[in-house]
Structure formats: structure tokens, C-alpha cells
Amino acid sequence: IEPAQRARPAWQLALGLAVAAAVGALATIALVGRSATPESSAPRTLSALTNPDGMEVRFPALSPDGQLLAYAEFLDDANTSAIVVQGIDGAGRRRFDEDAGASDLRPRFSPDGRKLAFLRRAPERCEVRVRPVLAGESRRVADCAVGVPSSVDWSPDGARLAFTSPVAMDGGSGPGIALVMLADGAVSPLPLPPVARGADTDPRFSPDGRQLAFARGEDSDRDLLLLDLDRPDRPRVLSTEPSRIL
């Protein structure tokens, strides 16, 4: 007669049950993962939207309906650029060569998709300009800050543009944000606190048009700010520490 086996301590039984449960759970996860692989994990093919024959393309922008693409195409000398508009399939490509001595940059479609706003830069001048999307000539609507990398934005109703003005606020050393009314060309610099260094750049309207976000500073030392347009003298800093805001 074999001697009776000694009973295992309770902690050993609990540990064994826990290990068995963990192994079972891992096996179940592995089986479910194999049988329910998401389609998003499948390889995706990237398609080029532009074919500039080796020329550099920058600042792409989609029309509100997603059917047109606008961008700045740098010309053969690589020192100037022109605005190009085309379908997202490449059809109907048009390049607008208006000023051989300047670079047209940073196009933005109007909310109704019928116009483009962009910046025209030359060594001694910077202009905010607006043009029809597919035909006609552009027109100057305001002067922007020379030598300051920035962009332009439409208000949601299409009545105003926000941009970096060449005029510094009292007590500041750098250019600030201004609004231009397209109906009459009236320019209104926002009464922001003075810029101590760099400039206020890259304004963006909120979807309801009541607020404006922008970057303040220079190079890799910039903050992201947000203001209510009915109280533009009190912007709020959104970034937690200075960084390269793009």
C-alpha cells in the first residue's frame, strides 16, 4: 500500500490556478488576433498627386470639397515659385506665372472653394494676394511682413483674411497679426501684447470665426496662443513650454 500523498499548501494551489488562467487568456488572445486581423494592418500603396519633373513642391492645400489641390511649385532656378492648381487625380493642371521676380507661396482656398489667397514674396516686399481658382489675375489686398515665414487664413465667412502684418505694435520689436476686410481693403492690426522677439505668425481662425490661434516667437523658441476676437488684447498661451510650433 502506497503511502497517502501529502496535501499541497493552499498558496500552491492558488498559484497554479492563476498560472493556468493566464496561459489560457494568452492563448485566447492569440487565436482571436489571428482570426480578426484588421484591414488597416494590410500594406497600403502611396500614390503621388503631383509630377513636377524634379521641381520642388511645397505648401499643399486641398479645396473644401477635396477635389482640387493647390501648391507652390519652385521653378527651374529654384529661387522663385508659382502657384499650381490641379485635380487630385492630376487633371486640369494650371500654373500661374504672374511675377517672374517673386515667389508665390502658401495658397489657401476660400471657404466656398472659388478663390485662393496666397503670399507673394520678393527681397524687398511681401504681399497678400487673392485670385480666382481657375481663371483671371490675382490682386493685392495687403502688405505682409518681409522676411517673416508665415501664412494666411480665411475667416469662415470668407469676408476677412488673417496674416502677419509688417507693423509692430507699440513697444514691441516684431510684426503682429492683422485682419483685412476683402470688401473694402481695410486693414486692422490686432491690439495684441507687444512681441518681445520674433513675430506673430501662422494665424488660424476657429470654425465659428470667434477665435484665432497663432504662433509667437522665433525659430525653435515659439509658443502657441489663442485669442477671442472680441478681446484680442488678452491671448492665452496654450503651449506648456517653448518649442518648434509648425
Side-chain angles (χ1 to χ4, degrees):
I1 300 174
E2 295 182 358
Q5 295 181 346
R6 298 174 60 184
R8 294 182 179 179
W11 69 269
Q12 290 186 354
L13 291 176
L15 178 61
L17 291 174
V19 171
V23 171
L26 290 174
T28 302
I29 292 172
L31 290 174
V32 171
R34 288 182 182 179
S35 61
T37 301
E39 295 182 0
S40 61
S41 65
R44 295 186 178 183
T45 301
L46 299 179
S47 300
L49 298 180
T50 63
N51 183 22
D53 297 326
M55 288 182 285
E56 186 177 2
V57 170
R58 293 186 186 180
F59 313 119
L62 282 173
S63 60
D65 62 5
Q67 298 303 304
L68 294 176
L69 176 69
Y71 54 91
E73 181 178 276
F74 280 73
L75 308 182
D76 295 333
D77 60 9
N79 292 321
T80 59
S81 60
I83 301 298
V84 175
V85 176
Q86 65 175 57
I88 57 171
D89 58 357
R93 184 179 186 276
R94 295 173 62 95
R95 190 173 81 184
F96 303 107
D97 298 302
E98 291 187 346
D99 189 335
S103 288
D104 291 346
L105 304 164
R106 300 181 181 269
R108 298 279 293 183
F109 283 92
S110 61
D112 62 8
R114 300 173 61 184
K115 298 177 182 179
L116 278 175
F118 62 94
L119 303 181
R120 175 166 292 171
R121 296 190 179 278
E124 302 297 331
R125 59 188 170 97
C126 179
E127 300 172 351
V128 180
R129 302 186 72 88
V130 173
R131 64 161 300 111
V133 167
L134 296 178
E137 298 291 326
S138 68
R139 64 183 180 94
R140 173 192 161 279
V141 297
D143 290 329
C144 46
V146 175
V148 177
S150 187
S151 56
V152 63
D153 196 41
W154 292 85
S155 62
D157 60 4
R160 298 178 292 177
L161 293 172
F163 65 100
T164 298
S165 167
V167 179
M169 297 304 296
D170 293 341
S173 61
I177 302 297
L179 305 179
V180 57
M181 292 293 298
L182 296 178
D184 58 10
V187 175
S188 302
L190 295 180
L192 295 164
V195 180
R197 67 188 190 287
D200 292 338
T201 63
D202 303 308
R204 291 292 183 272
F205 283 96
S206 62
D208 61 7
R210 297 180 179 180
Q211 295 180 306
L212 195 74
F214 62 95
R216 166 168 285 198
E218 58 185 351
D219 299 329
S220 60
D221 189 10
R222 301 208 292 172
D223 289 311
L224 181 64
L225 285 78
L226 179 70
L227 60 83
D228 297 320
L229 285 171
D230 58 354
R231 293 298 304 270
D233 59 328
R234 296 185 179 182
R236 304 186 297 278
V237 178
L238 300 182
S239 51
T240 56
E241 60 184 27
S243 59
R244 186 171 179 80
I245 306 295
L246 300 176

